[in-house]
Amino acid sequence: MLKVLPISSLLALLFASNCLVVTQAQTQARENRDLAAKQLEQVQIEAQSIGSFFSELAISSDIPIGLEIAAKAGHLAAYGTDFKKGTLSELLNEFVIQHNQYAWEIRDGVVNVFPKDDYRDALFRDLLETRIGRFTVKENTSCWTLAETLVSTPEMKKVLEASGTTYRAPDFSGFYIPQAGRYFKLDVSNVTLRSILNRVVEQSPTAKFWVITRNYDGSLNISFGSRHEDSPRGMYKPKILK
C-alpha cells in the first residue's frame, strides 16, 4: 500500500532540497571568485593564434579554460603577454582590452572566453546552448574521440544538418594523442554542450582547454588542449589539435 507522507514531512523535504541547491550555488560562486583571484607570476606567452594562446595559459598554469572563436576571425595572428604578477582576472582584463571583440566570465569553475554579440558565430551560439539528453565518457578516452562522440549525438547532428555544416576532426601529427585521463569518466543528462565542455576541462586531470571554431573550409571544429598525464603540472607545453 502506498504510504502518503504528511504535509510537514513534504515541507521538510522541500526545505532540505532548497537548502542544498542554495548551498551548491554558494559553493560554486565562492570557487568562481577564488579562480578569478588566482595569483599568477611571470606568465610569458607568444602564440600565433588565440587558441594556442589560451591553450598554453590553461595547461601551463593549470587553469580550465573554454574558448569560442569570433566569427571571421583570422586563424593566424600574434597573441602574447608578458604578465609579471597579478590575478587571473587582471590578466584576462588586459587581454580583452587589447582584443576588444572578446569578453570573459567564469562559469562552473571554468574561464569562458567568448566573442561579444556583434562578433559571434550564430552556429556556435546555437550549438553551445543545445541540450543533450545523455552523454557519457569512458575511461581511457582520447580528446579526439570525445569530440567526435559529442558531435555524433542526435541533438548536435540536428543543429549541424539544419545549418548545412559538417564536422571535420582537427588535423593531428605527433607521437602523443591528447587524452582526457586514464580514469576520467563522465555521465550527464539534459545539459548543454557548453556545460559538458566545461565539465570535461574542470574535472579532467589532463584536458584543461576546449575550443570551438571553424576550419578553413567552414566546417566545425571542436578540440581540446591536454598535457601528458605523467608530466608534472605547470611543466608541460600543451598539444592542441588544430
Side-chain angles (χ1 to χ4, degrees), residues 111-122:
V111 175
N112 280 187
V113 180
F114 53 93
K116 296 176 182 177
D117 287 343
D118 290 344
Y119 301 95
R120 291 194 78 181
D121 186 313

Side-chain angles (χ1 to χ4, degrees), residues 48-69:
Q48 292 186 330
S49 72
I50 186 173
S52 295
F53 176 89
F54 279 109
S55 179
E56 183 164 344
L57 175 63
I59 297 173
S60 63
S61 299
D62 196 29
I63 299 169
I65 298 176
L67 172 64
E68 177 187 347
I69 299 292

Side-chain angles (χ1 to χ4, degrees), residues 52-114:
S52 295
F53 176 89
F54 279 109
S55 179
E56 183 164 344
L57 175 63
I59 297 173
S60 63
S61 299
D62 196 29
I63 299 169
I65 298 176
L67 172 64
E68 177 187 347
I69 299 292
K72 300 180 181 179
H75 284 262
L76 294 178
Y79 292 88
T81 186
D82 186 4
F83 189 76
K84 302 300 183 185
K85 185 176 181 180
T87 64
L88 173 60
S89 63
E90 289 171 335
L91 185 152
L92 293 170
N93 285 338
E94 285 188 8
F95 180 88
V96 297
I97 288 173
Q98 296 172 7
H99 307 280
N100 60 11
Q101 70 269 45
Y102 285 96
W104 69 273
E105 67 178 359
I106 295 180
R107 181 186 298 197
D108 303 324
V110 178
V111 175
N112 280 187
V113 180
F114 53 93

Side-chain angles (χ1 to χ4, degrees), residues 46-193:
E46 292 292 338
Q48 292 186 330
S49 72
I50 186 173
S52 295
F53 176 89
F54 279 109
S55 179
E56 183 164 344
L57 175 63
I59 297 173
S60 63
S61 299
D62 196 29
I63 299 169
I65 298 176
L67 172 64
E68 177 187 347
I69 299 292
K72 300 180 181 179
H75 284 262
L76 294 178
Y79 292 88
T81 186
D82 186 4
F83 189 76
K84 302 300 183 185
K85 185 176 181 180
T87 64
L88 173 60
S89 63
E90 289 171 335
L91 185 152
L92 293 170
N93 285 338
E94 285 188 8
F95 180 88
V96 297
I97 288 173
Q98 296 172 7
H99 307 280
N100 60 11
Q101 70 269 45
Y102 285 96
W104 69 273
E105 67 178 359
I106 295 180
R107 181 186 298 197
D108 303 324
V110 178
V111 175
N112 280 187
V113 180
F114 53 93
K116 296 176 182 177
D117 287 343
D118 290 344
Y119 301 95
R120 291 194 78 181
D121 186 313
L123 174 62
F124 296 169
R125 179 195 60 218
D126 293 344
L127 285 172
L128 288 169
E129 296 308 315
T130 296
R131 287 196 169 271
I132 296 175
R134 177 78 183 277
F135 184 73
T136 61
V137 179
K138 298 180 180 180
E139 295 180 351
N140 284 312
T141 296
S142 71
C143 292
W144 199 345
T145 299
L146 196 160
E148 289 190 323
T149 304
L150 261 177
V151 297
S152 297
T153 59
E155 298 86 351
M156 290 280 286
K157 289 172 68 175
K158 182 178 179 180
V159 177
L160 289 174
E161 289 172 0
S163 69
T165 305
T166 59
Y167 175 78
R168 182 166 65 81
D171 298 330
F172 172 74
S173 62
F175 296 102
Y176 170 65
I177 299 176
Q179 303 290 316
R182 295 187 188 95
Y183 307 109
F184 173 73
K185 296 187 295 184
L186 189 66
D187 189 345
V188 294
S189 301
N190 192 31
V191 293
T192 64
L193 171 64

